[in-house]
């Protein structure tokens, strides 16, 4: 940026020129006015922070957390720089993900990727990526080409920083980016092979929290937004934090590695986050076989069949070829053929190639109207949208491509659907105006913690009875109840309080049932049960690192049947206070005795600290954990897997956090739990984990002065 003395010098020249010549040579008043305007515009152009050196060229400014701040002279160069930046931070991972999206990972890296290739090819991801590329607008096609060029340029300049085994993926093409997008959105989030196989472990599903707070609920009178996705800390689920500044855009946020635009973001005027919504965008149809085909509306139709050749790399480096027969019905590809039972899969969004451009335009929007114009394209197959802006608007949208179905409720469509009739075959999706949406509720707050849209605020604004019964289920689990409780009970929320609430580890489940459990154990339990009750009575009902009693309670909770445990089951007329109470005190006490014996045997005492048993581990970092499973009603989600030593290690949960206040200037704090890089040479692999364990966020630096004050590296492209 030009110094003040330089600006004053330029302004002096124009003032002198204006006064000396315009009145004498060109006495016309209109011309003198034009000259004055020209001088002002020229001076302001030089003075403008947006026209710094870094926007007359293209630069990546890396801050001390490894976050790239891209200042580009135009949009194609912004995309190129983002491709470069992702390679510097995640090059090995990005190339491996693109190799899998091609359906050639087994050819590149061996047998363990065979099932991945079979899934990708059966879903026709590579083939569709080529048609999606052709369907892009000419401008956005150039942007995708530029992103791929940035990936390839980094690989060419820094071959020594990329693992040899992933270089086989190079050069990357735009079609690879779109194939990866499909694999992530349509064939992991909307539906995955595990879902089709009936593997429905709730704790391994992607999740999220999202808040939008209106000025009337904010202590400062500014709208606020909380973004908090919960994803596994590995593979295609990793977040990448960045800022993109180019003509027409200055957005900060995060995206999944390999995605060329920000998926969760904010700018000076507005911001949004996503949560995984209770969206049903896929169905499996059971086909009735007949004459080498299948029955449909009283006729026999032939399968469409294609034979592909899979190549599988052997340990000696040779390639083994294996045929893959892909069969499809009018519903979609056949995904299972067992014991004469044939299942075909139908998935939304495969005819909607504009996801990336929609996200890009959401980040460029300057107000609610522009933002919703982008949303109304309905290119994004799923995810709730939680929105807030400088004007004070807050919005919750149950976003997604919801099939228009002729019959059945949400539960019906979770099962296997008869595939012999067109009555069950959906071909259209609901338009934007049909989707559950809340704008500026009287409560002043909106929340979503993967619950259906009916419970986004209280008093309720949208009623489930006004929507098709298949739109979304009816329930409100403990984490969502905890979320709503924190918002409802605080009349004026400060920015710091919002962050503190985000890190809350209080177990809503304990608040509903613990008093009854303690009483029952004290009155009718064994000596062990009474000792356990004493520990639970002293417990703070939180899952902080030093919380004693949390391990015992969580062990007990793991053994109960939540559908049978409560004397008062969940009731949609009392959605935030039910379920509660013990249905069978004697059984609960017996379970507590067993849990106490297990804890005492494993850890030596009943009041072992939570952080001694539950650990935050990433790379070589090992720290006491705080937070836990959402089913316990904990807002700060951490998912764990057991270790061989009897302890538990984090594998997912809170992954990206952003707290934003639409003040002037915008105030923001953020964190990428595991750091902003995975490359072996990077100092940012796991470097934010200490802050994560301490329930801290890092400041978001968005203006040039802040970025330069925390500059670690600079790259001009």
């Amino acid at each position: 940026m030009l110094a003040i003395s330089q600006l004053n010098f330029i302004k002096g020249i124009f003032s002198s020129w204006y006064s000396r010549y315009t009145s004498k040579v060109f006495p016309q008043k209109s011309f003198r006015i034009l000259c004055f305007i020209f001088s002002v515009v020229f001076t302001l152009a030089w003075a403008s922070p947006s026209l710094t050196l870094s926007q007359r060229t293209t630069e990546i400014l890396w801050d001390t957390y490894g976050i790239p701040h891209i200042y580009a002279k135009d949009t194609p160069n912004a995309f190129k720089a983002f491709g470069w930046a992702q390679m510097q931070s995640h090059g090995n991972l990005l190339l491996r993900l693109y190799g899998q999206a091609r359906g050639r990972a087994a050819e590149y890296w061996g047998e363990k990727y065979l099932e991945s290739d079979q899934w990708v090819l059966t879903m026709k991801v590579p083939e569709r990526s080529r048609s999606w590329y052709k369907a892009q607008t000419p401008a956005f096609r150039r942007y995708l080409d530029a992103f791929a060029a940035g990936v390839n340029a980094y690989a060419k300049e820094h071959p020594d920083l990329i693992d040899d085994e992933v270089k086989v993926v190079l050069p990357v093409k735009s079609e690879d980016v779109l194939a990866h997008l499909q694999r992530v959105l349509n064939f992991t989030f909307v539906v995955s092979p595990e879902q089709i196989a009936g593997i429905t472990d709730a704790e391994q599903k992607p999740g999220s929290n999202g808040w939008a707070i209106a000025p009337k609920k904010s202590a400062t009178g500014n709208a606020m937004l909380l973004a908090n996705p919960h994803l596994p800390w590995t593979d295609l689920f990793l977040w990448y934090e960045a800022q993109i500044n180019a003509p027409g855009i200055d957005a900060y946020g995060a995206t999944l590695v390999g995605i060329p635009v920000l998926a969760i973001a904010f700018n000076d005027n507005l911001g949004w986050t996503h949560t995984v919504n209770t969206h049903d965008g896929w169905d499996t149809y059971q086909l009735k076989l007949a004459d080498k085909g299948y029955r449909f509306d009283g006729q026999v139709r032939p399968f469409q069949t294609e034979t592909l050749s899979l190549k599988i790399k052997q340990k000696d480096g040779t390639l083994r070829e294996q045929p893959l027969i892909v069969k499809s019905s009018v519903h979609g590809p056949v995904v299972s053929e067992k014991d004469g039972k044939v299942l075909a899969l139908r998935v939304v969004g495969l005819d909607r190639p504009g996801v990336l451009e929609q996200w890009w335009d959401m980040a460029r929007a300057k107000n609610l109207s522009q933002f919703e114009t982008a949303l109304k394209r309905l290119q994004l197959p799923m995810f709730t949208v939680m929105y807030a802006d400088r004007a004070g608007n807050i919005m919750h949208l149950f976003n997604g491509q919801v099939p228009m179905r002729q019959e059945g409720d949400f539960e019906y469509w979770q099962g296997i659907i008869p595939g012999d009739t067109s009555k069950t075959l959906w071909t259209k999706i609901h338009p934007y105006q049909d989707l559950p949406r809340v704008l500026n509720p009287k409560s002043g707050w909106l929340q979503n913690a993967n619950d259906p849209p009916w419970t986004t605020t209280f008093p309720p604004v949208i009623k489930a009875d006004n929507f098709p019964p298949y739109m979304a289920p009816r329930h409100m689990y403990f984490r969502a109840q905890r979320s709503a409780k924190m918002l409802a009970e605080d009349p004026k929320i400060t920015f710091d309080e919002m962050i503190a609430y985000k890190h809350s580890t209080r177990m809503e489940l304990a608040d509903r049932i613990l008093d009854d459990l303690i009483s029952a154990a004290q009155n009718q339990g064994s000596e062990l049960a009474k000792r356990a009750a004493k520990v639970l009575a002293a417990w703070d009902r939180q899952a902080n690192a030093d919380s004693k009693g949390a391990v015992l309670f969580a062990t007990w909770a793991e053994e109960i049947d939540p559908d049978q445990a409560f004397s008062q089951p969940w009731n949609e007329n009392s959605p935030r206070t039910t379920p509660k109470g013990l249905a069978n005190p004697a059984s609960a006490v017996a379970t507590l005795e067993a849990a106490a014996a297990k804890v005492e045997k494993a850890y030596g005492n009943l009041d072992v600290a939570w952080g001694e048993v539950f650990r935050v581990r990433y790379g070589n970092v090992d720290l006491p954990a705080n937070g836990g499973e959402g089913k316990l009603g904990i807002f700060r989600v951490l998912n764990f897997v057991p270790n061989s030593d009897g302890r538990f290690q984090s594998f997912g949960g809170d992954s990206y956090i952003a707290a934003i206040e639409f003040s002037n200037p915008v105030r923001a704090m953020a964190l990428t739990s595991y750091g902003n890089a995975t490359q072996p040479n990077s100092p940012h692999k796991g470097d934010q984990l200490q802050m994560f364990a301490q329930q801290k966020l890092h400041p978001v630096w968005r203006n040039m002065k802040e970025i330069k004050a925390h500059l670690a590296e600079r790259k001009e492209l």
Side-chain angles (χ1 to χ4, degrees), residues 521-540:
Q522 290 172 337
N523 293 330
Q524 54 186 280
S526 65
E527 183 61 32
L528 178 59
K530 290 178 180 178
R531 285 198 293 120
K534 184 177 180 180
V535 170
L536 292 176
W539 171 43
D540 61 7

Side-chain angles (χ1 to χ4, degrees), residues 49 61 69 71 243 245 250 665 700-709:
L61 306 177
H69 303 263
Y71 282 78
Q243 179 184 6
N245 187 305
D250 184 1
V700 168
W701 299 309
R702 292 181 62 231
N703 65 58
M704 188 62 71
K705 181 179 179 181
E706 292 174 331
I707 296 166
K708 287 183 176 179

